[in-house]
Amino acid sequence: MTTLLKNVTNSIWHAFRALQQDCSGFVGKSKLKVLTANIATLLDLYGVERGLDHYRSTPTLNFDHYLYYLSQEVFCSMSNELPLSAVRNYESKIDEVCWLVCHKDFQLKDAYFTEEVTYQLFRIFCMMADLYNDELDDNLFTVKIHPSEALIVVKQLLNSLGLDYNNEEKYDYLKKWDDGLDFGEFLAILRFKDFDKLNDYVASICEAIRDIYQTLIMDVIKKGYLFRRGYVLPTFREYFFVLQPCELTYYKHHTDREVCGTIALDSKFTVKPFIPSSGKTERIPKFTLISGDRAYELGAHDHKTRLQWISALQLAITYSTGREGFQRDTVNRRKQQRELELRKRQEEERLRSIHLKQLEETNVQLEQEKLARLAAESQARQYEAVAREDSRRVAELEDVKLCLERMLEDEIQAKRDEEIVRALQARVLAEEWEKREELEQLQSEQKALLELERQKRIEFEHMQQENEKRFKEAEQKLRQLEEERKKLDRELNMARQKIQLSEDNKGIVEAKLQKFVLQAIAPTYRKAPDFMIRRTQSFVASDRPVIVAVPR
């Protein structure tokens, strides 16, 4: 499905419903031919309606079949790469054709809205509504707007009229209502009958709806007065600018319909604020719209307005290359958010239903167990009564048996006593043998433990002796090292004394040697240059050995 068909599906559905004779969801092909021919003519296509005669071989079609035919025979020739301005132009024409078919169903008896305003509300409704399939009949479809989307339009309308939305409590039911609104119900919630007595109220509400129409359908991101520097005369002139995702249009006044100029926007445009040189305060806050070598210098009334226009222009440039406008993209994102929330609620409801089902099953099991317990208790009471009766009879039989046994006990008493004594003796002997075996086992275990302890003790004593031996050797070695240290200290002191003595002797020898050298070389170098004499004196004064060169 092309983007254009997706955008006009809701308006086509309204025209399709207006052509129905009944509520069966089917329309005759003869009526659909006329609608198809009108839509195809707007797209510069001719004769495509004739294919309906051979489509599905039925005299009528439901909306799903008709929509499939449009996508395969009419809108398939439209490219998905159409620019946004062309898509918006086709949408306007197709919506107008569909409105001409279905507008009689929405003519208001009270002239609350003009026909133009009703058409604008129709286009707003079709953009923000969704197509639903009937759960009971697959041939029936309906277009409804979500209450949250309707509330957005109501809020914008109330704000445009200078009314406080928070005080309108009659719209609170829409916040909790999940069912959608059709176009008739949508028009009903926009009729503010409580304010009909105000002067020019109808004209005000129509003007407010026109502004909302420009914002949502014409995709006007921002509009207002700006200054523009001319090309011939480099002076700023004030114009009324209207910003859309694909173009920036300006007029002499906001009531004028004659366009003074249009700037086509694309992804190559950039917006940069004008920074005055040398820190001067600019009288008009300016910014520049740049595309390649072309630059448009614009100015705002204040700094805040300039920031708002820069942000709006950047947003328009971002959406200039898209196939859907800013407002439609915003509506789609809200739809996706609602779908995510709906799936989340459905999952929560599913989990809650599973939990409730498990609770019900548990309660049923508990009731069954309770009934089973009561039945078991009743049966136990019956068995108890029978057992008491049986016990009474058994007691009587026991008395008879005791009488008979007393007569036999005297005869077998001796044998029984003898057997008992033998059994006791055998048991005592068996217990003695078991205890004896246990004592022998305990004795062997104690011997093994004693032997193990003895071996450990011997090893410990051996280790203790070795440690004492090592300790004595370490003490002896420590004393030897102490004596050697003292000896080395004495030798070190003697060496230091010798070094001190040698240094003292060295000073005396060096003084004598210096004196001797000076006396020896004085006659030889008396006529030498001054620098050689200074060098010789420096060598003599230094601690280095002086090599005396004797001339031949």
Side-chain angles (χ1 to χ4, degrees):
M1 184 182 293
T2 62
T3 303
L4 179 60
L5 179 58
K6 179 181 176 182
N7 294 344
V8 299
T9 297
N10 293 337
S11 58
I12 293 175
W13 177 87
H14 281 91
F16 184 89
R17 191 190 65 170
L19 297 175
Q20 293 180 12
Q21 295 292 337
D22 50 18
C23 298
S24 62
F26 289 89
V27 177
K29 289 183 178 180
S30 59
K31 296 181 179 180
L32 294 178
K33 281 184 179 180
V34 179
L35 178 61
T36 305
N38 290 328
I39 295 175
T41 303
L42 298 175
L43 304 177
D44 294 331
L45 299 174
Y46 302 95
V48 293
E49 69 276 4
R50 301 191 190 96
L52 286 170
D53 294 331
H54 308 287
Y55 178 60
R56 296 189 66 84
S57 302
T58 56
T60 59
L61 295 175
N62 63 11
F63 183 69
D64 190 21
H65 298 157
Y66 181 61
L67 193 65
Y68 181 78
Y69 179 81
L70 291 178
S71 65
Q72 297 298 322
E73 299 295 334
V74 180
F75 288 90
C76 64
S77 61
M78 306 302 296
S79 174
N80 281 328
E81 303 298 327
L82 284 175
L84 184 58
S85 57
V87 173
R88 188 182 294 118
N89 187 25
Y90 284 128
E91 284 180 19
S92 178
K93 293 179 181 179
I94 295 173
D95 287 345
E96 187 175 356
V97 169
C98 295
W99 175 248
L100 291 175
V101 177
C102 66
H103 76 282
K104 294 182 181 180
D105 298 338
F106 305 109
Q107 285 181 346
L108 303 178
K109 297 180 180 180
D110 52 355
Y112 189 78
F113 297 126
T114 63
E115 185 175 355
E116 180 185 1
V117 171
T118 308
Y119 170 66
Q120 293 173 354
L121 290 175
F122 171 76
R123 292 200 64 189
I124 292 172
F125 175 83
C126 290
M127 188 195 76
M128 304 179 73
D130 297 317
L131 179 67
Y132 297 97
N133 192 358
D134 197 331
E135 296 179 356
L136 301 178
D137 190 354
D138 292 338
N139 295 319
L140 295 178
F141 292 84
T142 181
V143 173
K144 291 186 177 182
I145 187 172
H146 195 270
S148 62
E149 298 291 334
L151 280 175
I152 292 173
V153 179
V154 171
K155 185 176 180 180
Q156 292 182 2
L157 187 56
L158 289 173
N159 291 335
S160 299
L161 296 174
L163 303 176
D164 190 2
Y165 168 77
N166 296 324
N167 295 331
E168 300 295 329
E169 298 179 355
K170 63 180 181 180
Y171 299 110
D172 291 342
Y173 74 97
L174 293 176
K175 298 178 181 179
K176 301 179 181 179
W177 195 16
D178 292 333
D179 194 11
L181 305 171
D182 58 17
F183 185 54
E185 295 170 340
F186 177 69
L187 291 177
I189 65 174
L190 296 178
R191 298 175 192 169
F192 308 120
K193 294 184 178 181
D194 297 339
F195 308 100
D196 288 345
K197 297 181 180 179
L198 297 177
N199 296 330
D200 298 331
Y201 184 74
V202 175
S204 299
I205 195 171
C206 292
E207 184 65 27
I209 291 174
R210 290 190 190 97
D211 290 340
I212 296 174
Y213 176 81
Q214 290 181 357
T215 301
L216 297 179
I217 302 303
M218 304 305 294
D219 214 3
V220 175
I221 298 177
K222 188 172 180 59
K223 56 185 178 178
Y225 285 95
L226 288 175
F227 296 99
R228 181 180 182 276
R229 187 185 292 276
Y231 293 105
V232 180
L233 297 176
T235 58
F236 279 100
R237 294 185 63 184
E238 189 176 27
Y239 295 93
F240 183 77
F241 282 79
V242 177
L243 176 62
Q244 294 174 288
C246 56
E247 61 184 10
L248 178 63
T249 310
Y250 53 95
Y251 307 83
K252 290 184 178 180
H253 195 266
H254 71 279
T255 58
D256 293 344
R257 294 185 178 273
E258 183 179 356
V259 178
C260 292
T262 301
I263 301 174
L265 301 178
D266 53 29
S267 59
K268 297 179 181 179
F269 275 85
T270 57
V271 186
K272 294 182 179 180
F274 179 78
I275 301 175
S277 59
S278 67
K280 295 182 179 179
T281 302
E282 53 184 359
R283 184 175 60 87
I284 299 177
K286 293 176 287 186
F287 58 95
T288 307
L289 187 62
I290 304 172
S291 175
D293 297 335
R294 189 69 180 273
Y296 303 91
E297 190 172 352
L298 305 174
H301 288 278
D302 51 29
H303 180 66
K304 181 180 179 181
T305 306
R306 180 179 68 170
L307 294 178
Q308 293 174 352
W309 272 99
I310 289 174
S311 177
L313 283 168
Q314 290 174 346
L315 183 64
I317 292 169
T318 302
Y319 280 92
S320 62
T321 57
R323 298 295 172 262
E324 293 185 352
F326 169 67
Q327 295 296 336
R328 191 176 293 275
D329 182 68
T330 304
V331 171
N332 292 334
R333 281 190 276 111
R334 287 200 297 265
K335 290 178 183 178
Q336 293 175 1
Q337 183 65 26
R338 288 197 300 272
E339 291 175 358
L340 291 175
E341 292 176 356
L342 178 61
R343 286 197 292 269
K344 185 178 180 180
R345 287 199 301 269
Q346 291 175 351
E347 182 67 18
E348 291 176 354
E349 290 294 334
R350 186 182 67 82
L351 295 176
R352 189 181 294 108
S353 62
I354 293 174
H355 183 63
L356 292 175
K357 185 177 180 181
Q358 292 177 351
L359 287 177
E360 291 176 358
E361 292 177 354
T362 304
N363 291 331
V364 170
Q365 292 178 358
L366 290 175
E367 290 294 332
Q368 292 177 355
E369 291 178 358
K370 185 177 180 180
L371 294 174
R373 187 185 65 183
L374 293 174
E377 290 177 354
S378 176
Q379 189 176 6
R381 286 193 293 270
Q382 294 176 1
Y383 286 158
E384 187 177 358
V386 174
R388 284 196 298 269
E389 184 66 22
D390 291 342
S391 299
R392 186 178 62 77
R393 292 178 181 178
V394 169
E396 292 177 355
L397 293 175
E398 286 289 338
D399 293 337
V400 175
K401 183 180 178 181
L402 289 173
C403 293
L404 295 175
E405 287 179 352
R406 290 192 193 97
M407 295 173 67
L408 295 174
E409 282 180 358
D410 295 338
E411 295 179 1
I412 60 176
Q413 185 66 35
K415 293 182 180 180
R416 184 181 299 170
D417 292 340
E418 185 178 358
E419 290 177 358
I420 290 172
V421 170
R422 288 180 180 177
L424 290 172
Q425 289 178 350
R427 187 174 65 184
V428 169
L429 289 173
E431 290 177 355
E432 288 180 355
W433 278 106
E434 289 177 359
K435 290 181 179 180
R436 185 174 180 181
E437 290 177 356
E438 290 178 358
L439 291 173
E440 290 178 354
Q441 185 177 1
L442 289 173
Q443 187 176 4
S444 62
E445 290 177 357
Q446 288 179 355
K447 288 181 179 179
L449 289 173
L450 289 172
E451 185 65 25
L452 182 61
E453 290 292 334
R454 188 179 297 108
Q455 291 178 359
K456 289 183 178 180
R457 183 175 180 182
I458 292 171
E459 291 178 358
F460 179 74
E461 290 177 354
H462 183 66
M463 290 174 62
Q464 187 175 6
Q465 290 175 2
E466 289 182 354
N467 290 333
E468 289 178 355
K469 184 177 179 180
R470 291 176 182 174
F471 180 72
K472 291 178 179 179
E473 291 177 355
E475 285 182 348
Q476 185 177 0
K477 189 173 182 179
L478 182 61
R479 285 193 297 270
Q480 292 177 0
L481 292 173
E482 187 68 25
E483 292 177 359
E484 290 179 358
R485 185 182 64 79
K486 292 179 180 180
K487 183 178 179 181
L488 290 174
D489 289 340
R490 289 193 299 270
E491 292 178 356
L492 181 61
N493 291 330
M494 292 175 64
R496 286 177 179 174
Q497 293 176 1
K498 290 180 180 181
I499 291 170
Q500 185 66 33
L501 183 60
S502 62
E503 287 180 354
D504 295 339
N505 295 330
K506 180 181 177 182
I508 297 170
V509 172
E510 284 179 353
K512 293 179 179 181
L513 181 60
Q514 183 178 2
K515 183 177 180 181
F516 174 75
V517 170
L518 290 175
Q519 291 176 359
I521 65 174
T524 306
Y525 294 95
R526 185 170 298 166
K527 296 181 180 181
D530 294 338
F531 73 89
M532 293 182 64
I533 296 174
R534 285 194 300 269
R535 186 175 179 183
T536 304
Q537 291 177 355
S538 62
F539 273 108
V540 173
S542 63
D543 293 338
R544 290 175 295 179
V546 179
I547 300 174
V548 179
V550 179
R552 294 180 180 178

